[in-house]
Amino acid sequence: MSESPEKPAGRPVVLTCAQPTGRLHLGNYLGAVLNWGRMQDDHDCYFGIVDQHAITVPTVPAELRDNTYSCLAQYVACGLDPARSRLFVQSHVLGHTELAWILGCLCPLGQLERMTQFKDKSRKQQSVDSGLLFYPVLMAADILLYNAALVPVGDDQKQHLELARDLAQKFNHRYSETFCIPEPFLSKVGSRIMSLQDPGAKMSKSDPNHAATVFITDRPEDVRRKIMSAVTDSGAEVRSGPDKPGVTNLLSIMSACTGRPVAALESEFAGRGYGDFKKAVADAVIATLDPVRVRYDELIKDKPELSRILKAGAEQAQATAFRTLSKVHRKVGFVERPR
Ligand code: AMP
């Protein structure tokens, strides 16, 4: 008789992983991290900083280490709360690569070669290491190790989540019910924030035009300068619409920062022109980001505190990981590890 799949006791388990790749921007904050923070109220959250994924492309070791601390400090400053959630670094928890190996033994090579992200990334490199190909299997292991029911994913990760679902189903079918099948979590509130210099493109950390992206650790004077120089549209009317991509973007930024509907902002700024409007947008963004920056500045100087958070997160995540792994080993037929 098959066992029922592992169900999280009580609140649904959510897993979010992000690579430690430098500074978060306003798009990451308003479109993703803010929602992850809200999920802590009614979900059992795991937030992983996935350094093992980061080395699938060439990285500078000292930068990876600094970025890992910085990523942690930014997440905590944004409201991911180590007292309520598990914030951990992937390489601190034994089991991610171990489970990835076992899942890899169920994963046809062709399925990995067809992954859009692998095709895109490998096209840009002269020689391709197998870690890049295997990346989605490691991601499946990240998710299944914690029996996550929900995984917030952007468009670029949907195909990888589909693979995690496939592998979970395959494992359950071959060895009996073990994993719950993770669902994508598409948040209801969430804004797609566009570049301040080209409202046709998403705001991105890699934009070479520094005026296009507001980072969460930018000083208030830099935030103001970037917002004041944001591209607007012809005409002086503050309203949203397809003919006004620049103003629409600023309206949705202001709406996300203040919690006020776009329509209310349009009425407030009717007949007042772009100058007044941009000043108000800058004030709203500064009011939102300033506490985040102040907290980040404190935390990044406090290595003992960051290490304490990482230790607690790793211990909690490890307890879950070991439970899953020992169950998986038993199902696969590995002899129980002598104690
Ligand atoms: P990335 O920086 O691409 O690794 O994305 C991290 C998270 O932030 C993902 O959930 C993305 O969907 C989200 N994100 C990235 N850029 C934006 C943006 N410009 N607007 C809204 N959400 C974004």
Side-chain angles (χ1 to χ4, degrees):
M1 208 175 74
S2 67
E3 294 174 32
S4 62
E6 184 96 344
K7 283 271 179 252
R11 308 185 316 165
V13 175
V14 175
L15 176 110
T16 304
C17 287
Q19 289 195 30
T21 46
R23 296 196 292 166
L24 296 175
H25 56 70
L26 190 62
N28 296 133
Y29 182 70
L30 298 177
V33 185
L34 201 55
N35 289 323
W36 303 344
R38 291 186 183 125
M39 292 182 89
Q40 297 176 116
D41 295 337
D42 43 17
H43 295 80
D44 202 359
C45 294
Y46 289 77
F47 299 114
I49 300 174
V50 288
D51 51 353
Q52 290 167 329
H53 284 281
I55 60 165
T56 52
V57 291
T59 41
V60 178
E63 277 176 18
L64 177 59
R65 203 169 291 118
D66 285 350
N67 284 345
T68 302
Y69 280 115
S70 168
C71 184
L72 176 69
Q74 288 177 73
Y75 281 149
V76 175
C78 286
L80 304 189
D81 179 2
R84 290 191 290 158
S85 303
R86 296 151 189 84
L87 272 95
F88 64 93
V89 170
Q90 185 185 30
S91 64
H92 290 179
V93 181
L94 303 178
H96 288 256
T97 49
E98 171 95 34
L99 183 59
W101 174 257
I102 294 168
L103 296 173
C105 294
L106 296 172
C107 184
L109 182 60
Q111 204 170 354
L112 297 181
E113 286 169 335
R114 282 195 297 277
M115 289 285 157
T116 315
Q117 204 177 81
F118 170 70
K119 288 198 279 188
D120 285 351
K121 286 192 178 173
S122 55
R123 215 175 283 133
K124 291 178 198 149
Q125 292 180 30
Q126 275 196 327
S127 84
V128 176
D129 295 324
S130 45
L132 194 62
L133 180 73
F134 209 64
Y135 176 116
V137 182
L138 182 57
M139 181 172 150
D142 300 335
I143 298 166
L144 301 183
L145 197 57
Y146 303 105
N147 254 301
L150 294 171
V151 183
V153 277
D155 283 345
D156 55 336
Q157 294 294 334
K158 275 193 191 142
Q159 200 183 22
H160 293 165
L161 181 62
E162 212 34 66
L163 180 81
R165 289 166 56 83
D166 270 7
L167 292 175
Q169 270 154 351
K170 241 184 193 172
F171 189 99
N172 288 352
H173 188 251
R174 184 172 300 180
Y175 297 111
S176 84
E177 294 291 333
T178 305
F179 296 118
C180 75
I181 311 301
E183 298 285 340
F185 179 83
L186 304 164
S187 123
K188 281 175 237 87
V189 273
S191 348
R192 194 172 143 89
I193 305 300
M194 310 310 280
S195 153
L196 297 177
Q197 292 298 316
D198 171 11
K202 248 173 63 158
M203 184 177 282
S204 152
K205 61 180 162 249
S206 48
D207 199 316
N209 185 344
H210 295 302
T213 307
V214 169
F215 290 99
I216 64 164
T217 51
D218 277 347
R219 313 247 126 221
E221 55 275 21
D222 296 326
V223 175
R224 190 171 298 285
R225 187 175 36 75
K226 289 179 185 181
I227 304 272
M228 294 310 286
S229 65
V231 167
T232 38
D233 316 286
S234 53
E237 223 184 325
V238 177
R239 65 164 170 82
S240 63
D243 57 328
K244 292 218 164 223
V247 174
T248 302
N249 188 35
L250 292 176
L251 278 166
S252 56
I253 290 173
M254 184 159 177
S255 168
C257 287
T258 58
R260 297 176 59 201
V262 167
L265 300 174
E266 286 172 334
S267 315
E268 184 183 335
F269 289 96
R272 287 176 55 188
Y274 290 156
D276 261 12
F277 170 57
K278 282 179 163 179
K279 195 172 160 305
V281 177
D283 288 343
V285 175
I286 291 168
T288 301
L289 291 186
D290 217 37
V292 174
R293 182 186 54 82
V294 169
R295 181 76 182 116
Y296 171 80
D297 285 348
E298 281 166 11
L299 275 168
I300 200 62
K301 285 185 247 148
D302 192 351
K303 281 277 159 66
E305 173 66 359
L306 294 178
S307 300
R308 195 193 57 73
I309 294 171
L310 286 182
K311 184 165 184 281
E315 280 169 3
Q316 291 167 350
Q318 189 67 73
T320 312
F322 274 150
R323 267 200 306 280
T324 307
L325 210 54
S326 93
K327 192 170 183 183
V328 166
H329 279 192
R330 183 166 50 79
K331 301 243 180 164
V332 168
F334 293 167
V335 169
E336 195 183 347
R337 188 173 289 166
R339 288 164 200 269

